[in-house]
C-alpha cells in the first residue's frame, strides 16, 4: 500500500473518523486529538499492509483501539441496565422526537453500543466490518446492535413520556 | 426459517444487503411471526431515527488542514529517505563508492587480523630499547643522584627490581661504567647500565625475557656466540638470552668494538 493511497483514504474517511471520535470523546478537543492520533498511527502501520486492505475498517479499528487504550469503555450491557418498558406507540417517536433528545439517548448508551450504532446506521458499515473493528464475531455483533437498539428505544420512550407528562413552562405563564 | 436465523439477517435487511431469495424467506417468516416483526419494526425505526436525526460531526477545516499537513510532512520524509536509498543503489558512481566503502569496512579488519603479521617481539624490544637509548642521550649527562658505583647500583636494583640482574661486567679502564638505573622495557622492569668507550655511549639492558623468542635470522657470530643483531634509530643492537633473562646492547660502536663490549658482558 502506498502513502498516496493512504493519504487519499484519510481525506475520504476523515468525516467518518471525526464523527465517531465526536460520539466517543468528551469534547471537540478530545475528538480532534483522537483523529490526529489515529491518522498518525495509520501513517506508521497501514503502509506496511498489503494493497487492497479495507482502509476505512483499518482506520476505524485503529481509532477504537486508541480509544480503548486511553479509556476503559463501559462494559455495561443491556442485562445490567434497567430498561423501563413504556407502552408508547413507536411511530410517535419518529414524529415528535427532537434531534437533541436522540443525541442525549445515544450518549446514555455504553460507548461500544453507541459506536456500533453510529457506524452501522450512520456510516453504513456492514456487520463484517463492525466485527473486525471491535474484534467480535458476527453473531456477537448482531446481538450488540440489537441490544443497543432496544436500550436506546427504552431511553427515548422514557424521555418522551417524561416530556409529555411534565407541563410546559410556557403554559403556566400564558394567559 | 427460525426466529434466531431471522434475527441474524435483520441488520442486512435493514441496510438492503440481502439477496432476493434470503429477503423473500425472511419476509415469509416475519409474516408468520409477530414477535420478530415487532423486533424488526423497532430496529428499523431506531435505525432510521439515527440515520436521519442523530448529529453528524464533520471534521472541522482546521483539523483537516492540520492532518493533511502532517501527512505531507510524513510523506516528504518518507520520500526523501526513499529517494536517498534509490540514489544510493541505482546511481553507478554512488553505488560503486558505497560498495567500495562497505567492502573496505569489512575487509580491512579481516586483513589486519589474518594477513598482517603480528609484530615480532624481538623487534618490539629492540625498538623500545633504542627509544630509551635516545631519551638517555637527549638528557646526557644524566642529572640527579644516579649512582655510579657498582655497589650502589646493585643496591638500587635490589630495592627496585623484582628480579636479580646477573651482571658480571662493571666496566674497566677501556669501557667505563658511567651510571646504572632501573627502567622499563615492554612494560616490564629492566636494569640499565651506561658504558662509555671513547666518546661513544652504549647501554646494556637486562630484563626478564624467557618469553621473548630470539629470531634465528640476523645472527652475529662472535667467538662461538650468536646474538641477534639489528639496527634501530641508527644504533646497533645485540640481543641474546641467558637463562630467564634477556640482554640487550644499544650502541653506536663499530662492529669490532661492539663485539668486544659483547664479549666483556657475555664472558667477562
Amino acid at each position: 500500500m502506498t502513502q498516496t493511497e493512504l493519504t487519499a483514504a484519510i481525506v475520504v474517511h476523515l468525516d467518518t473518523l471525526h464523527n465517531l471520535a465526536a460520539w466517543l470523546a468528551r469534547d471537540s478537543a478530545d475528538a480532534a486529538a483522537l483523529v490526529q492520533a489515529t491518522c498518525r498511527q495509520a501513517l506508521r502501520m497501514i503502509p506496511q499492509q498489503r494493497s487492497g486492505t479495507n482502509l476505512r475498517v483499518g482506520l476505524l479499528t485503529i481509532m477504537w483501539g486508541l480509544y480503548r487504550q486511553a479509556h476503559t469503555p463501559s462494559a455495561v450491557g443491556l442485562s445490567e441496565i434497567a430498561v423501563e418498558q413504556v407502552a408508547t406507540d413507536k411511530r410517535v417517536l419518529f414524529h415528535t422526537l427532537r434531534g437533541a433528545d436522540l443525541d442525549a439517548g445515544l450518549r446514555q448508551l455504553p460507548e461500544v453500543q453507541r459506536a456500533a450504532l453510529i457506524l452501522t446506521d450512520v456510516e453504513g458499515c456492514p456487520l463484517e466490518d463492525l466485527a473486525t473493528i471491535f474484534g467480535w464475531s458476527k453473531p456477537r455483533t448482531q446481538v450488540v446492535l440489537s441490544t443497543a437498539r432496544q436500550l436506546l428505544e427504552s431511553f427515548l420512550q422514557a424521555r418522551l413520556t417524561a416530556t409529555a407528562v411534565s407541563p410546559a413552562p410556557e403554559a403556566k405563564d400564558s394567559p | 426459517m427460525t426466529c434466531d436465523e431471522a434475527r441474524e439477517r435483520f441488520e442486512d435487511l435493514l441496510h438492503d444487503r440481502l439477496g432476493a431469495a434470503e429477503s423473500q424467506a425472511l419476509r415469509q417468516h416475519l409474516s408468520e411471526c409477530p414477535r420478530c416483526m415487532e423486533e424488526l419494526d423497532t430496529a428499523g425505526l431506531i435505525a432510521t431515527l439515527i440515520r436521519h436525526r442523530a448529529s453528524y460531526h464533520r471534521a472541522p477545516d482546521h483539523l483537516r488542514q492540520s492532518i493533511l499537513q502532517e501527512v505531507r510532512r510524513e510523506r516528504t520524509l518518507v520520500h526523501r529517505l526513499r529517494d536517498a536509498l534509490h540514489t544510493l543503489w541505482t546511481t553507478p558512481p554512488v553505488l560503486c563508492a558505497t560498495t567500495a566503502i562497505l567492502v573496505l569496512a569489512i575487509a580491512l579488519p579481516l586483513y589486519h587480523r589474518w594477513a598482517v603479521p603480528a609484530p615480532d617481539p624481538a623487534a618490539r624490544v629492540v625498538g623500545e630499547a633504542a627509544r630509551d637509548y635516545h631519551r638517555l642521550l637527549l638528557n646526557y649527562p644524566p642529572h640527579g643522584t644516579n649512582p655510579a658505583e657498582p655497589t650502589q647500583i646493585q643496591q638500587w636494583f635490589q630495592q627496585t627490581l623484582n628480579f636479580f640482574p646477573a651482571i658480571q661486567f662493571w666496566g674497566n679502564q677501556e669501557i667505563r661504567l658511567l651510571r646504572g638505573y632501573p627502567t622499563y622495557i615492554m612494560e616490564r622492569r629492566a636494569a640499565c647500565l651506561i658504558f662509555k668507550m671513547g666518546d661513544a655511549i652504549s647501554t646494556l639492558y637486562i630484563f626478564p625475557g624467557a618469553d621473548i623468542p630470539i629470531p634465528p635470522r640476523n645472527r652475529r657470530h662472535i667467538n662461538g656466540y650468536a646474538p641477534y643483531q639489528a639496527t634501530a634509530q641508527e644504533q646497533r643492537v645485540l640481543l641474546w638470552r641467558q637463562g630467564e633473562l634477556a640482554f640487550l646492547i644499544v650502541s653506536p660502536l663499530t662492529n669490532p668494538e661492539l663485539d668486544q663490549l659483547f664479549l666483556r658482558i657475555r664472558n667477562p
Side-chain angles (χ1 to χ4, degrees), chain B residues 72-112:
Chain B
R72 279 194 209 104
R73 198 163 48 238
E74 191 81 16
R75 283 181 66 190
T76 309
L77 283 174
V78 169
H79 278 176
R80 277 186 191 163
L81 183 63
R82 191 185 296 163
D83 288 349
L85 286 173
H86 189 262
T87 306
L88 195 63
W89 295 113
T90 55
T91 311
V94 180
L95 179 61
C96 288
T98 313
T99 309
I101 289 168
L102 282 176
V103 168
L104 283 176
I106 295 168
L108 276 179
L110 295 177
Y111 176 76
H112 271 276

Side-chain angles (χ1 to χ4, degrees), chain A residues 40 90-91 94 103 149, chain B residues 11 38 41 53 55 70:
Chain A
R40 210 168 289 140
K90 294 186 183 71
R91 297 290 159 196
F94 192 79
D103 286 358
R149 290 207 172 92
Chain B
E11 287 302 322
E38 170 77 9
D41 194 38
R53 295 200 189 167
S55 295
E70 194 164 335

Side-chain angles (χ1 to χ4, degrees), chain B residues 53-64:
Chain B
R53 295 200 189 167
S55 295
Y56 194 89
H57 307 271
R58 290 192 184 284
D61 284 345
H62 65 85
L63 176 65
R64 191 176 294 274

